[in-house]
């Protein structure tokens, strides 16, 4: 899962990012509303965590612009403002949830997972390719009906491949979306594909010469 975190409190962002990465999320960060909007429009994310009081463009404007652009990525708004009208305004402009600062990280994590469980046109509740089924919200995988235990990173890699099962996915794309940041050696992708093949069978993930990997689920 890839999260976009938009907040101008850098210490808060750093701590939140570390927590999300430890839970297996890849995290993109923006420190103002205008940059956050552009990142959200240019890249695919599973959830956007968005502060309201931001430089250059506030959170309300960002959500409004996203919905006008037909971007329906779930948005969790954050704010120190806890008035009833503040919450109502956030939901009315198109946000999916609202969380008041300060909050416990475990609550934020639960809210994010709740958003991921909500059905959407572009996000079925479960992913299925061949005899391979993945439930992102429950973080559960079955292969030919049998449960398969995967690590957090293995699960994230498999999920990305399954979400793009209609095409081969290159190593660089996989690294950038599954691992946080582009500093990781791209060969880590090959290593983790090997882990998945040992657990799912070599035929489950095909190597497409010159193009990357494609999940078959056989």
């Amino acid at each position: 899962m890839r999260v976009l975190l938009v907040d101008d409190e850098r210490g808060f962002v750093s701590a939140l990012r570390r927590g999300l990465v430890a839970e297996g999320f890849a995290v993109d960060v923006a420190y103002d509303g205008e940059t956050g909007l552009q990142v959200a429009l240019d890249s695919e994310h599973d959830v956007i965590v968005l502060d309201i009081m931001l430089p250059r463009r506030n959170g309300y404007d960002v959500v409004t612009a996203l919905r006008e652009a037909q971007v329906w990525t779930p948005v969790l708004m954050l704010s120190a403002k806890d008035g009833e009208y503040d919450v109502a305004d956030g939901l009315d402009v198109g946000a999916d949830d609202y969380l008041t600062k300060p909050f416990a990280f475990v609550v934020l994590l639960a809210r994010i997972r709740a958003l991921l469980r909500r059905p959407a046109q572009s996000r079925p509740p479960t992913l299925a390719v061949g005899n391979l089924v993945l439930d992102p919200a429950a973080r559960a995988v079955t292969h030919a009906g049998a449960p398969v235990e995967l690590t957090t990173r293995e699960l994230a890699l498999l999920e990305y491949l399954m979400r793009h099962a209609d095409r081969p996915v290159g190593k660089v794309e996989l690294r950038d979306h599954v691992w946080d940041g582009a500093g990781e050696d791209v060969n880590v992708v090959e290593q983790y594909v090997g882990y998945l093949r040992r657990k799912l069978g070599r035929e489950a993930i095909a190597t497409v010469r010159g193009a990357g990997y494609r999940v078959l689920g056989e």
Side-chain angles (χ1 to χ4, degrees):
M1 294 291 181
R2 193 164 196 89
V3 174
L4 172 59
L5 175 57
V6 188
D7 197 297
D8 62 334
E9 298 180 38
R10 291 178 180 263
F12 168 78
V13 168
S14 179
L16 193 55
R17 180 177 176 274
R18 285 196 302 272
L20 290 170
V21 169
E23 291 292 328
F25 292 93
V27 183
D28 292 325
V29 170
Y31 297 106
D32 65 79
E34 188 63 38
T35 302
L37 175 60
Q38 290 306 311
V39 174
L41 291 173
D42 294 342
S43 306
E44 180 181 342
H45 296 89
D46 298 286
V47 174
I48 299 171
V49 179
L50 175 69
D51 192 26
I52 292 179
M53 304 303 293
L54 291 166
R56 300 182 66 196
R57 193 162 189 162
N58 67 46
Y60 297 134
D61 288 346
V62 172
V63 176
T64 300
L66 287 173
R67 300 318 187 215
E68 289 176 349
Q70 303 295 300
V71 174
W72 304 109
T73 305
V75 174
L76 171 58
M77 298 196 84
L78 304 178
S79 179
K81 303 168 68 177
D82 60 356
E84 293 178 354
Y85 288 101
D86 298 314
V87 177
D89 287 344
L91 298 176
D92 284 344
V93 297
D96 299 272
D97 200 358
Y98 190 107
L99 189 57
T100 302
K101 296 179 180 178
F103 52 81
F105 176 73
V106 67
V107 174
L108 174 72
L109 196 59
R111 294 287 187 92
I112 290 175
R113 288 177 175 159
L115 289 177
L116 295 175
R117 286 194 296 269
R118 293 184 183 179
Q121 289 184 342
S122 61
R123 186 177 302 285
T126 60
L127 303 172
V129 179
N131 57 11
L132 190 62
V133 178
L134 186 152
D135 183 337
R139 306 175 81 176
V141 176
T142 60
H143 187 222
V148 181
E149 292 294 327
L150 298 181
T151 67
T152 298
R153 197 66 69 186
E154 290 166 355
L155 187 68
L157 176 60
L158 180 61
E159 180 180 350
Y160 195 82
L161 286 168
M162 291 180 72
R163 288 196 184 280
H164 300 85
D166 59 329
R167 63 177 175 86
V169 186
K171 289 184 182 179
V172 173
E173 181 180 348
L174 286 167
R175 180 205 56 190
D176 290 350
H177 283 79
V178 176
W179 281 262
D180 188 62
E184 191 78 43
D185 189 327
V186 73
N187 290 326
V188 74
V189 175
E190 184 176 348
Q191 178 183 356
Y192 272 79
V193 167
Y195 296 158
L196 286 176
R197 283 171 169 164
R198 282 197 285 274
K199 294 182 177 182
L200 302 173
R202 293 198 59 82
E203 70 282 359
I205 301 174
T207 299
V208 181
R209 188 176 298 276
Y213 300 102
R214 187 169 185 175
V215 64
L216 301 177
E218 300 299 331

